[in-house]
Amino acid sequence: MEITIVETDKQKNDAYYVRNTVFVQEQNVPPELEIDDLEAEATHFVGYVDDQPIAAGRLRLVDDYGKLERICVLKEYRGLAYGQKLISAMEAHIQTSGYPKVKLNAQTHAENFYKFIGYETVSDQFMDAGIPHVTMIKQL
């Protein structure tokens, strides 16, 4: 998978395509919650396989940490370590930017995946867009 930091409208549309497919179509998140007013301040990432967008995520640098958001991989590409590769690239960007830790709100079905790659759960379960989540952190 080739991971790109979004610089063009086409790349941003590719990231939005993956996010829309996973969150809006598959998980029934309302479109107005998926694309929000934080898009402009975020750094967007998109992963390509054979020039097709298959993974996406966005990153915001907040206070003393990088916040991973909207991490997703198209259904047919899950279980092939693409999510882990995307997160590694995003973590490297956070580290290069001088931030010591990462934070994310994980859907509870993905909590064990994040634990496997070094994240620790630091909250009780809460609902976001009708989906149960927990907050997780990782020291870089």
Side-chain angles (χ1 to χ4, degrees), residues 106-112 125-126 131-134:
Q107 294 182 7
T108 55
H109 72 82
E111 186 175 3
N112 286 334
Q125 185 174 304
F126 61 93
I131 300 168
H133 284 71
V134 290

Side-chain angles (χ1 to χ4, degrees), residues 44-111:
H44 298 267
F45 292 73
V46 61
Y48 294 93
V49 170
D50 298 328
D51 296 320
Q52 298 301 310
I54 63 101
R58 75 177 190 191
L59 164 65
R60 292 186 304 118
L61 300 173
V62 182
D63 300 326
D64 65 340
Y65 60 87
K67 186 157 191 280
L68 301 185
E69 301 173 326
R70 308 303 201 269
I71 306 295
C72 56
V73 176
L74 294 179
K75 187 180 241 176
E76 56 269 32
Y77 293 93
R78 291 181 200 151
L80 302 172
Y82 292 130
Q84 189 171 347
K85 290 175 185 172
L86 175 64
I87 291 166
S88 291
M90 296 174 81
E91 290 172 349
H93 187 82
I94 292 166
Q95 228 171 356
T96 300
S97 300
Y99 289 75
K101 67 182 173 182
V102 185
K103 182 177 178 181
L104 56 81
N105 293 330
Q107 294 182 7
T108 55
H109 72 82
E111 186 175 3

